[in-house]
Amino acid sequence: MMRRVEHHASLSGSVRVPGDKSASHRAVMLSALASGESTIEGLSPGLDVAATSMIMEQLGACRRDIGDVVVVEGPPPGLHHSDRPLWCGNSGTTMRLVSGIVSCLEGSHRLEGDTSLSKRPMDRVAVPLGLMGSSVTGEGPRVTPPLTIVGNTSLRGIDYHVPTASAQVKSAILLAGLFAEGPTTVHEGVRTRTTTEDMLRLAGVAVSSQSVDDGRRVTLTPGRPLAHAWRVPTDPSQAAFFCVLGLIHPHADIEVVDVENSPERTGFVGVLQRMGADLVERPGASGVTLRARSSALQATEIHAAEIPSVDEVPVLSVAAAAASGVSAFRDMGELRLKESDRFEGSMALARLLGCRVWSEGDDFFIEGLVTADAFSSFAINAGLDHRIVMSSAVAGGAGHGCDIDGSDTVSSSYPGFFDDVARLR
Ligand code: S3P
């Protein structure tokens, strides 16, 4: 779907972004793995989490929605094999975490995704899950989907160093480790989001974490998760779009309320503050409130390790486009492997806005235009990438408008995004 975004004359008010996608996937999965009824409040309304939920139902869980509360009932004997393909849609989290879950179930499972997901590498989960005793095969050397996973009811726990910073890989291994023989230890060189470990602990599973240099070592003792009453916090990576919009727009004062505050997720706040942003955090009823007001931004240097999943880089590149000076984005290779090639996509967006942009290896550079008022009006194809849709909308709304082809992809994580922006006008 093509959508026109007009420049917004001024923006003010407060927004509460939807439930965190990461926590939502895990709440549905852990509830399905438990025996009996769990409840989930604040579940992400996006299609990615809906895909996870449908797969859990296909594997034997029951879901019913009572008002805003989702009730998931895990079958007492545990999840079981499904003959039908498991449709993961656009969602890498679904495919990678479900790979861990079905690795423990008897039978051959087929996992499929859309054209974006079908290009993403699954060797990063196939290798460790293979070491545990399951078999994960796909297309070509990078094991791209569709996947065939032959599960094994007697997996072995492993001690594994994750070669890339990836919470999804860590999580796939830990979920498989729940039903393995012996403990599973995952070493990560960069501290990625702790959603899985934190939620496993809440579900009564023994998980210990130790900081090691810049990374972490996580050890899980096998055990079935217990049913739980989940409260999903809001999604910090969605808050980032409203923060950048408020900062680069010439007449804006936007509050984002109840933002989940965890160091692995809110690195973007420090980056923006370093750029001179008038971005103030104050404790709120749950999480923090972020207030973003029109600011004159300066260029900065951003390392991937500051923003471990690199989810906020596309919108930070829009901030860099409105700053004065050259911003450097360092060690951003992982960006190429997201819903689209966000390395090229972030550069392409800044170029469309009128910036001089270049790359060297895994680094890229954006020479800012000092103000969003200098942005060109542009047209972009979002390429099945929700974050490119929202980053483009931020640039167009603060600058001089844009046309976004494929804007409906925003529904993978934030179906109400354009309505929430409209309410600030
Ligand atoms: C996620 C981890 C991140 C992130 C994704 C969600 C998760 O990917 O990009 O949107 O829920 O674990 P990585 O596995 O690259 O960290």
Side-chain angles (χ1 to χ4, degrees):
M1 186 181 121
M2 179 71 92
R3 178 188 278 269
R4 173 79 195 155
V5 174
E6 300 291 352
H7 168 76
H8 318 301
S10 70
L11 293 167
S12 67
S14 135
V15 61
R16 188 173 197 278
V17 297
D20 181 30
K21 195 155 68 76
S22 293
S24 296
H25 285 293
R26 285 139 172 105
V28 175
M29 290 176 187
L30 295 182
S31 302
L33 287 166
S35 173
E37 253 182 38
S38 294
T39 53
I40 310 173
E41 281 178 62
L43 193 71
S44 159
L47 295 179
D48 283 10
V49 171
T52 290
S53 176
M54 269 149 70
I55 290 175
M56 291 303 117
E57 289 185 76
Q58 228 177 303
L59 298 175
C62 289
R63 168 179 172 165
R64 60 183 197 280
D65 292 20
I66 305 175
D68 289 341
V69 180
V70 175
V71 181
V72 176
E73 199 177 331
L79 297 177
H80 57 68
H81 171 258
S82 166
D83 288 332
R84 285 175 296 125
L86 305 174
W87 177 248
C88 304
N90 187 249
S91 172
T93 310
T94 304
M95 186 166 280
R96 295 193 174 121
L97 273 57
V98 168
S99 295
I101 290 175
V102 298
S103 282
C104 318
L105 304 180
E106 202 160 1
S108 174
H109 312 264
R110 187 174 163 87
L111 276 65
E112 296 176 350
D114 69 6
T115 52
S116 152
L117 185 54
S118 297
K119 291 186 199 132
R120 299 181 68 186
M122 297 297 148
D123 51 343
R124 51 186 61 199
V125 289
V127 170
L129 295 174
L131 291 171
M132 297 178 88
S134 114
S135 153
V136 182
T137 50
E139 306 283 322
R142 305 262 7 220
V143 193
T144 51
L147 299 183
T148 300
I149 303 186
V150 182
N152 179 347
T153 50
S154 37
L155 291 183
R156 302 174 289 277
I158 53 169
D159 190 297
Y160 189 74
H161 289 256
V162 181
T164 42
S166 170
Q168 292 175 351
V169 175
K170 170 174 69 177
S171 305
I173 300 169
L174 293 175
L175 290 173
L178 286 173
F179 300 100
E181 282 160 31
T184 288
T185 299
V186 181
H187 305 255
E188 53 181 9
V190 170
R191 288 178 206 154
T192 66
R193 66 191 69 188
T194 56
T195 322
T196 298
E197 301 93 293
D198 298 343
M199 292 178 71
L200 281 169
R201 279 189 204 104
L202 287 172
V205 178
V207 183
S208 67
S209 298
Q210 269 122 26
S211 295
V212 184
D213 301 324
D214 290 337
R216 203 184 269 125
R217 180 174 61 229
V218 182
T219 298
L220 170 141
T221 306
R224 189 173 185 185
L226 301 174
H228 189 73
W230 299 106
R231 292 180 78 99
V232 176
T234 61
D235 196 326
S237 58
Q238 309 289 22
F241 296 106
F242 290 95
C243 291
V244 174
L245 180 60
L247 297 173
I248 68 170
H249 190 285
H251 307 287
D253 184 351
I254 300 176
E255 268 195 349
V256 198
V257 300
D258 295 340
V259 182
E260 179 193 351
N261 192 12
S262 71
E264 296 83 3
R265 301 296 300 278
T266 47
F268 72 90
V269 174
V271 171
L272 290 167
Q273 286 171 338
R274 203 161 72 217
M275 293 175 84
D278 184 354
L279 179 60
V280 180
E281 282 174 88
R282 60 167 204 279
S286 46
V288 290
T289 295
L290 295 171
R291 182 174 184 187
R293 280 179 283 195
S294 310
S295 304
L297 299 180
Q298 285 101 49
T300 190
E301 180 163 331
I302 303 165
H303 287 265
E306 288 182 82
I307 303 170
S309 67
V310 291
D311 286 342
E312 295 78 25
V313 171
V315 78
L316 287 176
S317 65
V318 173
S324 59
V326 175
S327 289
F329 292 80
R330 304 266 184 210
D331 202 16
M332 295 289 167
E334 272 295 303
L335 269 184
R336 297 194 170 92
L337 305 173
K338 298 289 180 177
E339 284 84 329
S340 68
D341 179 344
R342 290 184 187 154
F343 190 96
E344 290 302 327
S346 300
M347 288 203 298
L349 176 52
R351 207 174 278 125
L352 285 168
L353 294 172
C355 298
R356 203 164 69 85
V357 177
W358 65 99
S359 65
E360 287 165 19
D362 284 342
D363 300 342
F364 70 91
F365 304 86
I366 295 175
E367 185 171 351
L369 298 168
V370 184
T371 156
D373 198 34
F375 286 179
S376 305
S377 169
F378 64 99
I380 193 165
N381 183 322
L384 287 180
D385 191 331
H386 56 129
R387 294 197 205 280
I388 297 294
V389 175
M390 291 184 273
S391 302
S392 303
V394 167
H400 293 285
C402 64
D403 291 298
I404 309 173
D405 196 4
S407 62
D408 42 328
T409 286
V410 77
S411 297
S412 9
S413 66
Y414 197 164
F417 173 75
F418 287 103
D419 294 336
D420 284 354
V421 174
R423 270 192 283 276
L424 298 170
R425 291 163 79 167

